[in-house]
Amino acid sequence: ASLGGSFAVSTDLTKLSRLYLGVPPCRGLVTLLTSAPMATHTSSVSRSAALLSVVAVAGAMTACTPKPNGPEPTAQAFFAALGRGDTGAAAELAANTAVGKRWTPLQTIENLKLKAQAAGLWNLFLPVDTAEASGYHGAGLTNQEYAPLAEIMGRVLWSSEVFNCSAPDTGNMETIARYGDAENKARWLKPLLEGKIRSAFAMTEPDVASSDATNIATRIERQGDEYVINGRKWWTSGAMDPRCSVFITMGKTDPDAPRHSQQSMILVPANTPGVKIVRALNVFGYDDAPHGHAEVLFENVRVPASNILLGEGRGFEIAQGRLGPGRIHHCMRLIGLAERALELMCKRSMARVAFGKTVAQQGVTQERIAEARCKIDMARLLTLKAAWLMDTAGNKVARTEIAMI
């Protein structure tokens, strides 16, 4: 019965994905999003409806704002507004780049954050159990309740930041919430939850296959009341952001300990002497400014011993605990982006003609669209199952489902 209840939402979400092509009204989207069994909290319904409203504002358009006594806008207009908002952010980034300020936070996003906070649409990602354990509060949603909201955010690459739900901050906040002491929560978690600072996660290294966390070679050595850190990291997402104030850094505290007890994680303030941003890195030619991914050098970096998370030798354990929420949030957002890509593919296939008929009439195109539709729906169901299991049984029990996505 529990399994059936958890999957009852899939029918509505599948309908929701098909509504993206634009026939039903926006209110229909809200109804579908919030009427499923997963929306067990009354607050979830109002938050879901309000989220659609704020994301529409992110499009910097009024096309989807219902007018008194006027027709309700279509879902097609709603998502068209999102696309135009995407263009507006790109224009601002181009303008900043032209005057040598490429790594400046976008005011398009900063202004929308104020609207999101005022509407109570803030820290939607923070699950109830993590919030309770940390003593700080999120939006009161479970992972499963957050999933469809993240999917909507995923349609526009930058929109998750509007709601303080963007990586790597979400994973870092959960890590500090679960494993940080009271002092570090007050110093770092509180301003992160308030959106006053940003953070980075320094794990991957150029000299080793860092997907296996036991290979990490950066040294974290205890010297009196301090730890001294030496190593080189790269693909450190968020490090290029001028608001980045703290790194969660993984390294080895005891190379002679058992294989999975050699690593530790430690909080490193970004302004600590010895922390050097070497360069910004490109992914398929994109630098993802003003967020960015950096190569970072830690050279004799000294931090208080109290900055260690959970204790020496617990880094691998923390990494595994952080992986689940981080991965599932990415999957939730990417499903939304996949829906947008499929929509664009369908529109393009209808608009172009080859060999006397539209591309949409070509058998191979129909097959590709059908296959994409199946794969997206399957990915959504698997992600929802993983989210449900994380909520009901815990991240450790859900590790297989998390690995699948």
Side-chain angles (χ1 to χ4, degrees), residues 103 235 240 277-283 286-287 292-295:
W103 300 100
W235 305 114
M240 295 300 299
I277 304 297
V278 178
R279 56 173 174 150
L281 300 171
N282 292 340
V283 181
Y286 295 92
D287 61 7
H293 317 278
E295 180 177 350

Side-chain angles (χ1 to χ4, degrees), residues 65-77:
T65 303
K67 296 177 176 59
N69 304 317
E72 187 169 353
T74 64
Q76 186 177 34

Side-chain angles (χ1 to χ4, degrees), residues 146 150 153-154 156-167 333:
Y146 174 59
M153 293 180 209
V156 175
L157 290 175
W158 49 263
S159 67
S160 59
E161 186 182 343
V162 170
F163 310 98
N164 211 35
C165 292
S166 57
R333 288 189 295 266

Side-chain angles (χ1 to χ4, degrees), residues 119-162:
L121 299 168
W122 198 250
N123 297 325
L124 301 170
F125 74 93
L126 193 66
V128 176
D129 57 344
T130 301
E132 291 175 349
S134 69
Y136 292 83
H137 301 290
L141 304 177
T142 63
N143 286 299
Q144 190 179 4
E145 289 171 328
Y146 174 59
L149 306 185
E151 179 176 336
I152 294 173
M153 293 180 209
R155 291 184 62 92
V156 175
L157 290 175
W158 49 263
S159 67
S160 59
E161 186 182 343
V162 170

Side-chain angles (χ1 to χ4, degrees), residues 84-101:
R84 289 190 286 271
D86 225 355
T87 304
E92 184 183 351
L93 178 60
N96 289 347
T97 302
V99 295
K101 297 182 178 180

Side-chain angles (χ1 to χ4, degrees), residues 4 75 97 121 142 182 205 233 235 306 310 321 324 351 367 378:
T97 302
L121 299 168
T142 63
E205 299 179 3
K233 303 288 187 178
W235 305 114
S306 58
L310 203 59
E367 180 182 352
M378 287 188 288

